[in-house]
């Protein structure tokens, strides 16, 4: 991993392959490693850039106000890329959307996989999950909070752990733990999601959703498709919320075709 360090903070990043640049932005319960299984195929045709959002993975937590869009702009400036293809998972998908709205000339195309919708009216199941995580963290039980998040975001509501590929929970546990340790600092200092008009997005857009994800995100995916002009919906039948972990081959196939546009 490489490190971008300046007066505004420290961002850890990795670059692989050669060709038109693609930036992969991880989910809010993961780090750059969630893309490990898709990078080799994408790197055959593209320069693949992964980085850890601030407070995730190897990137330092914030010490003052910051914007995820500004961090991504700093990274692209550092690497010398004027225009990129963006792929974001979950919270990383919202970062990609906000960057596209803030810097439209710098985005060639946009793919979001299970991105959240700001100020969404969450279901009772999602509220119960949030309350359970809050209670576990309030009691100082980080292990319980990690398990609650693994159940929600990796296993999902529609399957048992026997249906989840071996090793994925162990792969995610460390990055998830880091995200939980830093989430209060990130939440306190982050500018949060933007409020731009999705109808202004004028680049090719793909919206992905796992058929085994919570119903809220299946609804949200359709909202994005309706709001972003010309957006295409792709459903992944064997995936829950973390699509790139559950269905890497399918993600590579879909992205390979989409990124070639």
């Amino acid at each position: 991993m490489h490190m971008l360090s300046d007066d505004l903070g420290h961002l850890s990043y990795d670059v692989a392959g050669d060709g038109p640049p693609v930036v992969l932005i991880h989910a809010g319960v993961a780090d750059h490693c969630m893309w490990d299984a898709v990078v080799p195929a994408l790197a055959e045709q593209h320069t693949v850039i992964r980085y850890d959002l601030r407070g995730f993975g190897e990137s330092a937590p914030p010490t003052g106000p910051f914007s995820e869009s500004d961090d991504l702009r700093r990274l692209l400036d550092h690497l010398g890329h004027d225009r990129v293809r963006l792929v974001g998972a979950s919270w990383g998908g919202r970062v990609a959307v906000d960057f596209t709205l803030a810097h439209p000339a710098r985005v060639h195309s946009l793919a979001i996989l299970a991105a959240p919708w700001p100020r969404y009216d969450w279901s009772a199941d999602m509220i119960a999950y949030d309350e359970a995580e809050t209670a576990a963290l309030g009691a100082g039980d980080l292990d319980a909070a990690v398990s609650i998040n693994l159940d929600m975001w990796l296993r999902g509501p529609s399957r048992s752990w026997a249906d989840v590929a071996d090793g994925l929970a162990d792969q995610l546990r460390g990055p998830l733990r880091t995200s939980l340790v830093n989430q209060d600092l990130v939440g306190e200092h982050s500018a949060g999601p933007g409020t731009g008009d999705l109808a202004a997005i004028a680049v090719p857009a793909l919206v992905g959703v796992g058929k085994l994800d919570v119903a809220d995100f299946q609804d949200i995916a359709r909202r994005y498709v309706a709001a972003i002009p010309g957006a295409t919906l792709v459903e992944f039948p064997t995936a829950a919320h973390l699509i790139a972990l559950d269905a890497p081959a399918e993600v590579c196939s879909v992205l390979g075709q989409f990124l070639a546009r």
Side-chain angles (χ1 to χ4, degrees):
M1 293 292 285
H2 305 284
M3 186 70 71
L4 165 60
S5 298
D6 57 24
D7 292 341
L8 298 177
H10 308 278
L11 294 176
S12 180
Y13 69 91
D14 177 73
V15 180
D18 187 44
V22 177
V23 181
L24 307 179
I25 313 175
H26 64 79
V29 292
D31 64 11
H32 75 280
C33 295
M34 73 166 287
W35 303 107
D36 281 355
V38 307
V39 168
L42 294 184
E44 291 177 4
Q45 302 293 331
H46 297 89
T47 299
V48 181
I49 302 156
R50 295 181 289 168
Y51 71 108
D52 289 333
L53 294 164
R54 206 184 299 215
F56 294 84
E58 298 179 29
S59 290
T63 57
F66 78 102
S67 160
E68 280 87 357
S69 287
D70 285 347
D71 279 350
L72 178 52
R73 177 188 53 77
R74 287 169 51 225
L75 178 61
L76 297 185
D77 289 347
H78 172 72
L79 294 173
H81 295 303
D82 292 328
R83 199 160 182 247
V84 298
R85 292 152 170 82
L86 290 182
V87 181
S90 193
W91 172 239
R94 189 63 213 188
V95 173
V97 168
D98 290 342
F99 184 87
T100 302
L101 292 168
H103 305 283
R106 304 198 67 168
V107 179
H108 178 277
S109 61
L110 171 68
I112 57 175
L113 307 175
W117 187 275
R119 293 168 293 283
Y120 186 74
D121 185 14
W122 296 109
S123 67
D125 286 345
M126 282 291 293
I127 292 171
Y129 146 76
D130 183 66
E131 290 175 344
E133 181 201 81
T134 299
L137 292 174
D141 194 342
L142 189 57
D143 289 339
V146 168
S147 294
I148 289 164
N149 278 276
L150 288 172
D151 280 336
M152 173 59 72
W153 303 122
L154 182 56
R155 179 174 61 82
S158 304
R159 58 186 180 178
S160 71
W161 277 110
D163 300 317
V164 179
D166 290 343
L168 289 185
D170 289 338
Q171 176 184 337
L172 195 60
R173 190 169 279 110
L176 176 52
R177 191 179 185 92
T178 298
S179 75
L180 290 170
V181 168
N182 292 331
Q183 75 173 6
D184 284 347
L185 270 176
V186 172
E188 176 186 351
H189 294 303
S190 170
T195 57
D197 182 6
L198 297 178
I201 294 177
V203 297
L206 181 147
V207 178
V209 66
K211 293 281 283 182
L212 305 180
D213 200 353
V214 296
D216 302 60
F217 280 91
Q218 297 183 45
D219 174 61
I220 288 170
R222 286 161 177 80
R223 289 194 182 198
Y224 275 114
V225 170
I228 299 174
T232 299
L233 177 68
V234 177
E235 295 179 308
F236 294 85
T238 64
H241 189 70
L242 300 174
I243 302 170
L245 290 180
D246 279 330
E250 292 84 348
V251 168
C252 287
S253 177
V254 168
L255 289 180
Q257 297 177 50
F258 176 71
L259 295 175
R261 296 172 63 178

